[in-house]
């Protein structure tokens, strides 16, 4: 994988300046909704710290809590399976579907199955899979991966959705009314639910003390699928377990507010045991998570509850789009998780960040995301995963920063050059400046202003 893949993909996304600006503004609007929801809770930081502590404790005893959860889930009648990696996960699901003569599948709320590339795996074997949540359904029709873990079609405007539905669902040409498009999708998907032989869902939380699964959704399609189908297959990363039912409210209060600014998701489903005539299978998936758990530097990334708040605040993600990350989970958390699975393929992603720290500030479970991105940069450099030019530039800048007098002279020279060169020339100076509006240069340097203020205070 080219080290510049993120940059080149982002460049393509930014060719449409109107749409890229809309993408940026829409995600910042969602971030603002999150901020409003946070201001309504004086205990917000206490909730964050408590949830972070619960997750840290759980990860320190993950084997114990997983075994406890398996014991209680099995007692409840849920059949528990374990998968070491994506291939084992996919093969296991295919085996379960074949055993139950299931050919038509409805799926809802599972980024893990996206991570494991389940859809193409099953489709190659003649099994029809339909993603039933509206955003996932849209990108499935377009043969695209989700660009956001909560808002999978956020990179598309309603006019593009209208064109997609016209092609695949024979909707009215040019009608981009969200109500009409949603109703059109609902009519098609309702038939899929009734025809389905099995349902596949993700899992938001799994409670160790009672073997219960918790699924949080806004559309209710996970509920529809798993209640209408005789076979329900739930897919879960091993990090999703929490110790007790008393721990759950902390995460539920944080999740929706962080994701979309809602007080709670519309549906919070608690699955304890199969209904009459129903079978529930749960697949617990590792797929590199144990390796991350063994790493003191990156272990905390497993605390993630997949709210997407770090996406919505990240200035790089908002401007570059989710598909530029060439991985299932984009944004800051994806840039931490993906190198852990394959550093060679994803060495460019830790550099898709300003290290501004905004992602860490909004994370509801207090993952030190910008710190972890910095550590991955060091690993990429030490293992030769970055270009020679970038390594030389980094070394040169480090050398310059250790020489204050020379650094100050460069600032003066840079200020003079900035005033002498035209804005058009500055914009075309590099790929970095091409898509950024540079702020006007100040008339005087901070250093001289500070000295003047200091002298006046004497």
């Amino acid at each position: 994988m080219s080290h510049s893949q993120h940059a080149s993909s982002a460049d393509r996304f930014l060719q449409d300046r109107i749409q890229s600006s809309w993408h940026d503004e829409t995600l910042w609007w969602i971030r603002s909704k999150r901020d409003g929801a946070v201001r309504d809770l004086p205990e917000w930081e206490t909730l964050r710290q408590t949830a972070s502590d619960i997750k840290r404790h759980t990860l320190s005893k993950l084997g114990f809590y997983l075994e406890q959860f398996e014991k209680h889930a099995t007692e409840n009648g849920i059949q528990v399976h374990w998968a070491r990696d994506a291939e084992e996960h996919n093969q296991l699901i295919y085996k379960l579907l074949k055993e139950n003569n299931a050919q038509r599948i409805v799926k809802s709320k599972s980024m893990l199955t996206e991570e494991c590339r389940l859809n193409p795996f099953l489709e190659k074997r003649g099994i029809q899979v339909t993603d039933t949540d509206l955003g996932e359904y849209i990108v499935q029709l377009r043969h695209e991966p989700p660009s956001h873990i909560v808002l999978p079609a956020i990179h598309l405007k309603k006019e593009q959705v209208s064109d997609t539905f016209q092609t695949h669902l024979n909707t009215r040409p040019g009608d981009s009314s969200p109500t009409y498009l949603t109703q059109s999708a609902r009519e098609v998907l309702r038939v899929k639910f009734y025809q389905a032989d099995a349902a596949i869902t993700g899992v938001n939380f799994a409670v160790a003390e009672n073997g219960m699964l918790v699924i949080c959704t806004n559309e209710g399609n996970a509920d529809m699928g798993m209640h209408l189908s005789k076979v329900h297959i739930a897919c879960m990363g091993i990090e999703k377990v929490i110790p007790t039912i008393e721990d759950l409210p902390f995460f539920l209060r944080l999740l929706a507010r962080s994701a979309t600014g809602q007080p709670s998701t519309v549906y919070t489903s608690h699955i304890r045991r199969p209904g009459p005539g129903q079978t529930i299978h749960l697949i617990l998936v590792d797929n590199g998570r144990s390796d991350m758990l063994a790493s003191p530097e990156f272990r905390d990334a497993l605390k993630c509850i997949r709210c997407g708040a770090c996406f919505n605040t990240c200035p790089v993600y908002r401007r570059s789009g989710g598909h530029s990350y060439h991985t299932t989970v984009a944004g800051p958390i994806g840039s931490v998780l993906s190198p852990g699975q394959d550093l060679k393929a994803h060495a460019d992603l830790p550099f898709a960040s300003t290290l501004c720290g905004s992602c860490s500030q909004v994370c509801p479970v207090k993952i030190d995301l910008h710190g972890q991105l910095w550590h991955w940069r060091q690993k990429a450099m030490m293992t030769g995963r970055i270009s020679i030019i970038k390594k030389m530039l980094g070394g040169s800048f480090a050398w310059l920063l250790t020489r204050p007098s020379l650094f100050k002279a460069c600032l003066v020279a840079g200020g003079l050059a900035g005033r002498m060169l035209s804005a058009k020339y500055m914009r075309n100076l590099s790929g970095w400046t091409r898509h950024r509006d540079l702020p006007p240069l100040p008339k005087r340097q901070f250093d001289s202003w500070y000295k003047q203020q200091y002298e006046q205070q004497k």
Side-chain angles (χ1 to χ4, degrees), residues 387-442:
S387 68
I388 296 296
I389 293 175
K390 183 171 285 188
K391 191 171 184 178
M392 290 175 62
L393 286 172
S396 299
F397 196 62
W399 178 85
L400 178 62
L401 288 175
T402 59
R403 289 157 177 80
S405 298
L406 184 58
F407 178 68
K408 188 184 296 184
C410 288
L411 288 178
V412 174
L416 290 172
R419 292 183 182 88
M420 293 171 64
L421 298 174
S422 67
K424 182 179 179 181
Y425 179 84
M426 292 293 289
R427 180 173 292 280
N428 294 321
L429 191 62
S430 72
W432 194 93
T433 57
R434 194 173 302 125
H435 301 296
R436 291 170 173 83
D437 295 321
L438 297 177
L441 291 168

Side-chain angles (χ1 to χ4, degrees), residues 16 93 227 314:
D16 188 336
I93 289 182
H227 284 98
C314 176

Side-chain angles (χ1 to χ4, degrees), residues 3 13 78-79 100 102 114 147 166 171 206 237-238 275 277 288 292 320 327 363 375 397-398 400 412 417 451:
H3 296 311
F13 182 74
I78 297 175
Q79 299 179 42
N100 289 277
E114 292 289 337
S147 66
Q166 183 191 343
T171 53
I238 56 174
M292 185 161 281
S320 64
T327 185
C363 177
H375 282 300
F397 196 62
L400 178 62
V412 174
K451 284 182 177 178

